[in-house]
Amino acid sequence: MENMAEEELPPQEEEEAQVRVPTPAPDSALDSAPTPDSAPVPALAPAPAPALSPSLASVPEEAESKRHISIQRRLADLEKLALVTEGDVGPASSLNSENLSIEKSHTCPLCPVEKFRACSSQKLRRHLQNLHWKISVEFEGYRMCICHLACRPVKPTIVGEQVSSKLGAHYHCIICSATITRRTDMLGHVKRHVNKGETKSRYIAASTAKSSNEILKEADTDIQVGPNYSIPQKTDSYFNPKMKLNRQIIFCTLAALTEERKPLECLDAFGATGIMGLQWAKHLGNAVKVTINDLNENSVTLIQKNCHLNKLKVVVDSDEKEEGDALEEDDTLGDIQVTRMDANVLMHLRSFDFIHLDPFGTSVNYLDSAFRNVRNLGIVSVTSTDISSLYAKAQHVARRHYGCNIVRTEYYKELAARIVVAAVARAAARCNKGIEVLFAVALEHFVLVVVRVLRGPTSADETAKKIQYLIHCQWCEERIFQKDGNMVEENPYRQLPCNCHGSMPGKTAIELGPLWSSSLFNTGFLKRMLLESLHHGLDDVQPLIKTLIFESECTPQSQCSVHAPSNLNKQGKRKSGEVIINTAKKQKTDATAHPPFYYNIHRHSIKGMNMPKLKKFLCCLSQAGFRVSRTHFDPMGIRTDAPLMQFKSILLKYSTPTYTGGQSEGPVHSASEDMVADRVEMSVNDKAEASGCRRW
């Protein structure tokens, strides 16, 4: 009769136990797991609980019981967890991992059945030790093992007509319950919690106090965002408040385009929360027909909610019924079409007058599709946020994405803008289209390029000719674009205005590019953008647009006029013939609109001398007969057509020695012109010797 207690399960029940998927069980289930009815085990005294660390000592019992099953103290706990989920043993026998049954098969509690099938206890022990325990992350006595369950939402991948999603491995944070894929990221994540002094109890209290959804307002547009909306790794609908300036610039661009023709079919290819398309439809009204697209289903749902929040009708499909019929027609402000598909597919299927690309990272994967069906004289705006590669911090990534060679220079922001424009120009030329650059902006978080599309192979050929290589001197940072022609020069260093190659040993220059060598700004279009910003009350973007206007004309602010042109068409209709001819002819004159690149006045300061004020130095360069202006790329940068030798000569002439205390500013009358040139040469040589260790 005693052997009756060890009677095995029937075959059907045994098969069901083998294919049963283990469900995540809390740690408290280890002591309260039910035993089989055929083998009752007397209750034992509970084992003493291990002492908690100081940071986890204040964790309440409810929060402790919600800890994920992948977080354990010992490897034996994982082995016991496999038996508890199967219901094979009771609490008394689960305390000892030696009681694992060899005859029966067991499933892994941290892997789905599709990944790891039921096996013997010895094979399961090796699996837990080699796959889960060895690559775990330790934190104050606990081990955060890698988990393969369906705990983390994975974006589906479209293969043909089928949608497939793979379960990714991840870690569960013991402090904030976040899921992180890589082990190195998990180590850094835990380290940030430690540096901030955060504990689990503090985080739970903060998360319960914070609401799940939040409503933000920008430019009279309300949007609903989810939790962690500013962290792209933790949300599907990313919203960055720091990109407000970018959204206002693009709005002014679209508003200026509506003065030429209307209505315009506009596309926001990566909607996220839909804030940009909502601002277009709400403030421009019937002048635009807005389409907001996103591949993520949660983002599309959030965009529809934000449309109803701003009293806008949502058109899911042109054949379907409008979802905004519940609202009265008098209360709605316009229609917005919301689509859910890949951006490349959408731009191949439909034609648009205005396309805005703002993907997460580089945008080179979507340029060919954008220029495939864009209409003539339409506008394509590209926002690139991969600044690590564009700003020469990851040069191999820039070579892979943009096919260009780049180094860190004093004018690296304008170099990044010209790299993106060159990529846009090559994509347009492949579609037999040319471009006219309206403006290019490179700030701390993004690089924005806005171009007008010109159809025809002639325009494409003219655009392709403006992509050239740049010769950059590594000693004095002088630069010049290579001359046109297919013939190989015997000595390319002769093109540089400096003589560093003759006075310095070895190779002194490097070839950068290919880059866009023509103008980056259209003065007339920028003035129209300034009028639109004044009309719509966008005060934040007005200083930037004024700086772009001064920079495009390459004149000081006191000599530049920002008034609108007298012949501006206020009727909102395209001038037939005149606009098209003038736009095509502007390409030949844009190269002389402003000199390329700029100099940083601090970078070229003379040792032992106090520099003049920036405004005074601009006047001195202008009086010397050079074109000069400030630049938005660098607050201490000066855009001028003066060679570097002349730039330093004038800088030294109007600098004061350090021993005078900087009490007076003006020319140093005691030094002759020859002495000034000698001082400039000595300064260049000193800087070359100081940077020699970095170059070699």
Side-chain angles (χ1 to χ4, degrees), residues 636-656:
M636 299 305 297
I638 297 177
R639 184 181 296 276
T640 178
D641 57 351
L644 182 60
M645 189 63 66
Q646 296 290 336
F647 182 87
K648 286 196 171 185
S649 177
I650 298 175
L651 180 61
L652 176 62
K653 183 178 179 180
Y654 289 93
S655 298
T656 57

Side-chain angles (χ1 to χ4, degrees), residues 314-570:
V314 179
V315 181
V316 179
D317 196 350
S318 59
D319 298 334
E320 296 179 1
K321 188 178 180 180
E322 297 179 351
E323 289 190 358
D325 292 341
L327 299 174
E328 297 182 1
E329 295 185 359
D330 298 338
D331 297 337
T332 57
L333 302 177
D335 297 345
I336 291 182
Q337 184 173 0
V338 181
T339 59
R340 179 178 175 263
M341 64 178 65
D342 187 83
N344 287 322
V345 176
L346 178 61
M347 289 184 289
H348 272 285
L349 294 177
R350 294 179 53 187
S351 299
F352 296 95
D353 300 287
F354 183 88
I355 297 176
H356 175 61
L357 301 176
D358 187 10
F360 185 74
T362 182
S363 56
V364 293
N365 300 327
Y366 307 95
L367 295 179
D368 291 336
S369 302
F371 285 98
R372 181 66 60 184
N373 286 331
V374 64
R375 294 192 175 98
N376 189 28
L377 298 181
I379 289 180
V380 176
S381 64
V382 179
T383 300
S384 300
T385 55
D386 54 335
I387 57 176
S388 60
S389 60
L390 291 175
Y391 289 173
K393 295 180 181 179
Q395 301 175 10
H396 61 286
V397 180
R399 187 179 297 107
R400 183 171 69 246
H401 288 169
Y402 300 95
C404 67
N405 183 32
I406 183 175
V407 295
R408 184 80 170 191
T409 61
E410 64 172 329
Y411 50 92
Y412 66 94
K413 286 189 177 181
E414 183 172 349
L415 201 66
R418 292 184 179 273
I419 289 173
V420 178
V421 176
V424 171
R426 288 194 297 268
R430 285 192 293 268
C431 300
N432 284 335
K433 296 182 178 67
I435 63 169
E436 176 197 0
V437 183
L438 300 180
F439 63 89
V441 177
L443 297 179
E444 182 181 1
H445 304 287
F446 63 91
V447 176
L448 173 63
V449 171
V450 178
V451 299
R452 188 191 295 272
V453 181
L454 307 174
R455 281 194 172 184
T458 304
S459 301
D461 294 339
E462 293 294 329
T463 299
K465 291 179 181 178
K466 297 179 182 179
I467 302 176
Q468 300 176 359
Y469 284 89
L470 182 74
I471 302 178
H472 169 79
C473 181
Q474 291 184 296
W475 294 101
C476 63
E477 297 213 14
E478 183 63 282
R479 76 291 301 215
I480 190 171
F481 281 105
Q482 281 188 353
K483 296 180 181 179
D484 295 333
N486 299 327
M487 303 303 295
V488 179
E489 289 194 18
E490 182 180 358
N491 189 3
Y493 294 100
R494 295 178 181 176
Q495 300 183 23
L496 286 170
C498 63
N499 58 350
C500 297
H501 177 66
S503 59
M504 301 296 175
K507 298 180 180 179
T508 59
I510 189 174
E511 189 179 64
L512 305 180
L515 308 173
W516 178 258
S517 61
S518 184
S519 174
L520 292 178
F521 309 102
N522 187 315
T523 308
F525 192 83
L526 288 172
K527 290 181 179 180
R528 290 161 54 191
M529 287 177 57
L530 181 60
L531 287 179
E532 296 297 334
S533 65
L534 294 172
H535 175 70
H536 293 279
L538 303 177
D539 299 334
D540 297 336
V541 77
Q542 293 176 14
L544 177 59
I545 298 179
K546 291 180 181 179
T547 304
L548 295 178
I549 295 174
F550 302 145
E551 191 173 357
S552 63
E553 297 183 349
C554 199
T555 55
Q557 297 187 7
S558 58
Q559 302 178 10
C560 182
S561 174
V562 295
H563 297 289
S566 58
N567 58 351
L568 184 65
N569 185 15
K570 291 293 184 180

Side-chain angles (χ1 to χ4, degrees), residues 609-625:
M609 305 291 288
N610 290 329
M611 295 184 306
K613 298 293 184 181
L614 187 58
K615 292 184 179 180
K616 184 176 180 64
F617 184 62
L618 292 174
C619 296
C620 295
L621 283 173
S622 181
Q623 292 174 2

Side-chain angles (χ1 to χ4, degrees), residues 124-415:
L124 176 61
R125 185 181 295 108
R126 291 195 302 267
H127 168 78
L128 293 174
Q129 182 176 2
N130 297 331
L131 180 64
H132 297 281
W133 193 259
K134 273 190 176 181
I135 56 176
S136 61
V137 177
E138 185 177 2
F139 177 71
E140 296 184 352
Y142 284 89
R143 289 289 191 98
M144 291 169 276
C145 303
I146 192 167
C147 177
H148 292 269
L149 299 176
C151 310
R152 180 183 177 89
V154 180
K155 295 182 179 180
T157 57
I158 301 177
V159 180
E161 298 180 354
Q162 298 181 356
V163 178
S164 62
S165 59
K166 296 182 179 180
L167 300 178
H170 54 275
Y171 294 89
H172 291 266
C173 180
I174 191 174
I175 301 177
C176 64
S177 301
T179 56
I180 298 176
T181 55
R182 302 178 60 182
R183 186 176 186 273
T184 55
D185 296 341
M186 188 66 194
L187 292 172
H189 178 79
V190 173
K191 187 176 181 180
R192 284 191 293 271
H193 278 304
V194 175
N195 295 337
K196 294 179 181 179
E198 294 179 346
T199 61
K200 187 174 181 181
S201 58
R202 175 184 173 184
Y203 189 91
I204 291 176
S207 61
T208 53
K210 187 177 180 180
S211 59
S212 59
N213 293 325
E214 184 179 357
I215 296 179
L216 304 179
K217 189 171 185 178
E218 180 181 304
D220 296 333
T221 304
D222 299 329
I223 58 168
Q224 182 179 354
V225 295
N228 301 321
Y229 60 87
S230 60
I231 305 176
Q233 291 82 3
K234 293 185 178 181
T235 181
D236 297 327
S237 303
Y238 176 57
F239 175 75
N240 189 1
K242 297 181 181 179
M243 297 290 284
K244 178 181 178 181
L245 191 63
N246 177 277
R247 290 186 283 268
Q248 292 187 355
I249 296 175
I250 296 172
F251 177 83
C252 295
T253 303
L254 182 58
L257 183 61
T258 55
E259 297 297 327
E260 300 178 6
R261 49 181 173 174
K262 58 180 69 173
L264 298 174
E265 293 193 18
C266 310
L267 171 65
D268 184 8
F270 302 90
T273 59
I275 175 64
M276 190 171 295
L278 293 173
Q279 292 177 354
W280 300 346
K282 192 169 185 178
H283 296 284
L284 299 179
N286 296 327
V288 293
K289 295 180 179 179
V290 181
T291 301
I292 305 178
N293 176 70
D294 203 287
L295 185 59
N296 187 273
E297 185 177 0
N298 297 331
S299 298
V300 172
T301 304
L302 186 61
I303 292 171
Q304 296 175 1
K305 292 181 180 179
N306 290 332
C307 291
H308 296 308
L309 189 62
N310 291 273
K311 298 181 179 180
L312 294 171
K313 287 185 179 180
V314 179
V315 181
V316 179
D317 196 350
S318 59
D319 298 334
E320 296 179 1
K321 188 178 180 180
E322 297 179 351
E323 289 190 358
D325 292 341
L327 299 174
E328 297 182 1
E329 295 185 359
D330 298 338
D331 297 337
T332 57
L333 302 177
D335 297 345
I336 291 182
Q337 184 173 0
V338 181
T339 59
R340 179 178 175 263
M341 64 178 65
D342 187 83
N344 287 322
V345 176
L346 178 61
M347 289 184 289
H348 272 285
L349 294 177
R350 294 179 53 187
S351 299
F352 296 95
D353 300 287
F354 183 88
I355 297 176
H356 175 61
L357 301 176
D358 187 10
F360 185 74
T362 182
S363 56
V364 293
N365 300 327
Y366 307 95
L367 295 179
D368 291 336
S369 302
F371 285 98
R372 181 66 60 184
N373 286 331
V374 64
R375 294 192 175 98
N376 189 28
L377 298 181
I379 289 180
V380 176
S381 64
V382 179
T383 300
S384 300
T385 55
D386 54 335
I387 57 176
S388 60
S389 60
L390 291 175
Y391 289 173
K393 295 180 181 179
Q395 301 175 10
H396 61 286
V397 180
R399 187 179 297 107
R400 183 171 69 246
H401 288 169
Y402 300 95
C404 67
N405 183 32
I406 183 175
V407 295
R408 184 80 170 191
T409 61
E410 64 172 329
Y411 50 92
Y412 66 94
K413 286 189 177 181
E414 183 172 349
L415 201 66

Side-chain angles (χ1 to χ4, degrees), residues 36-108:
D37 297 334
S38 59
V41 180
L44 298 179
L52 294 177
S53 59
S55 61
L56 298 176
S58 59
V59 177
E61 294 182 358
E62 296 180 359
E64 184 73 18
S65 62
K66 294 181 180 180
R67 191 175 67 237
H68 196 264
I69 60 174
S70 62
I71 303 173
Q72 301 292 339
R73 284 185 174 272
R74 298 172 301 173
L75 177 61
D77 296 338
L78 279 178
E79 298 174 359
K80 292 182 294 184
L81 191 62
L83 296 180
V84 171
T85 53
E86 294 285 345
D88 293 338
V89 294
S93 59
S94 66
L95 295 176
N96 187 3
S97 62
E98 299 294 336
N99 295 333
L100 288 174
S101 176
I102 301 179
E103 299 177 357
K104 286 192 175 184
S105 300
H106 306 280
T107 58
C108 177

